Amino acid sequence: MQATLNIRIDATLKERGDRVLRDNGVSTLTAVRSLWAHMASTRELPDFLRAELDRQDGRDRKKASLKAFAGIAEGACSNMTDAEMRAMYRSRYE
């Protein structure tokens, strides 16, 4: 029994990856089958995928922090004048 993968990938990324495979005499089919075979036999992600997930997790955490920070800016303080902001900060630190 066979299964089919149908994916979308950036055209430039595909061209660059295809060039590396072609230069090394490897077909796209062989590369994908080898990746799946590796994961099936080891029951683990390859190191390069695990590293990418770690990088993505770090980016996601940064994005969430920035969104939270932006949410603070969009709150009650966002409509205050400069004078009102200064008065609020002064009252906090006096």
Side-chain angles (χ1 to χ4, degrees):
M1 182 180 222
Q2 298 284 315
T4 301
L5 295 177
N6 185 13
I7 65 165
R8 294 192 184 276
I9 188 170
D10 178 80
T12 303
L13 178 61
K14 182 182 181 307
E15 288 171 16
R16 292 174 66 194
D18 285 346
R19 186 177 310 122
V20 171
L21 291 173
R22 188 174 48 251
D23 291 349
N24 287 281
V26 177
S27 71
T28 303
L29 178 62
T30 299
V32 172
R33 281 184 176 163
S34 296
L35 173 61
W36 257 246
H38 172 80
M39 291 186 299
S41 67
T42 64
R43 300 181 126 191
E44 293 181 353
L45 291 174
D47 290 340
F48 75 93
L49 280 178
R50 200 170 304 119
E52 177 58 29
L53 289 174
D54 290 343
R55 281 190 296 278
Q56 185 62 45
D57 285 347
R59 286 191 296 263
D60 289 345
R61 281 192 299 273
K62 287 178 185 176
K63 284 180 185 176
S65 295
L66 288 171
K67 282 183 180 181
F69 185 70
I72 292 168
E74 293 171 0
C77 298
S78 63
N79 296 324
M80 295 176 100
T81 65
D82 289 345
E84 290 170 329
M85 290 289 285
R86 280 191 291 275
M88 182 183 73
Y89 286 122
R90 259 190 248 116
S91 70
R92 287 185 181 178
Y93 298 107
E94 290 180 340

